Amino acid sequence: MILKSISNSGLEVIKCQEVRLNRQQAEQLYAIHMGKFFYERLIRHVTSGPIIAMILSSKNGDAIKCWRNLLGPSKIFKGLLHSEDPNYTLREKFALSDARNVAHGSDSEIEFQREVRVFESLFEVENTG
């Protein structure tokens, strides 16, 4: 369902692999949220089991914007209450809570460059083992 939504939105999957984040990697990924009330729940969730790490691309060069539109707001209940679109976002369809919200998406090119370094090392480790 999620991969079909990605494809239908015009995004292309460049890399996709099941990986596991340890606490240090999760803290690197979510460093921007350190000190926020949901930080520990987020870290526990993302390290609780395997995740699917993906790098996406778009023909228009707007992959970040396109992915974030597909994801929808991280505050899922607010999104559900105020959504006028009958086609729910991925978070509205699949999230369990704001912290366990089905997927992550970089919010800028700068954040993408920082965050992708966490996953690049995981892709390399997984591919050599």
Side-chain angles (χ1 to χ4, degrees):
M1 179 76 175
I2 291 175
L3 290 175
K4 185 175 181 180
S5 295
I6 290 170
S7 177
N8 289 344
S9 73
L11 289 167
E12 179 183 354
V13 177
I14 302 300
K15 287 187 180 181
C16 180
Q17 187 170 325
E18 183 178 293
V19 297
R20 292 182 81 96
L21 291 179
N22 62 34
R23 182 169 180 94
Q24 180 183 5
Q25 292 160 331
E27 288 174 348
Q28 285 177 301
L29 181 64
Y30 290 111
I32 194 168
H33 297 303
M34 187 175 285
K36 295 182 180 172
F37 74 94
F38 57 85
Y39 179 75
E40 283 301 322
R41 283 183 295 163
L42 187 59
I43 298 299
R44 276 194 311 273
H45 174 63
V46 78
T47 59
S48 66
I51 63 170
I52 305 298
M54 291 188 284
I55 298 176
L56 306 174
S57 177
S58 75
K59 293 179 181 139
N60 300 330
D62 62 350
I64 291 171
K65 179 181 177 185
C66 189
W67 176 237
R68 290 188 61 86
N69 285 339
L70 192 60
L71 281 176
S74 56
K75 295 183 184 337
I76 59 166
F77 299 113
K78 183 178 180 180
L80 283 169
L81 288 173
H82 299 291
S83 178
E84 296 178 18
D85 187 348
N87 300 311
Y88 292 115
T89 66
L90 293 176
R91 286 178 173 153
E92 290 167 342
K93 288 179 187 174
F94 301 111
L96 299 176
S97 70
D98 290 352
R100 298 185 317 176
N101 66 17
V102 80
H104 173 75
S106 304
D107 64 1
S108 68
E109 183 64 30
I110 292 169
E111 281 300 299
F112 168 75
Q113 293 300 329
R114 184 186 66 74
E115 293 169 357
V116 78
R117 286 192 293 273
V118 173
F119 292 106
E120 285 294 329
S121 65
L122 291 170
F123 286 136
E124 292 169 13
V125 168
E126 297 290 328
N127 285 333
T128 60

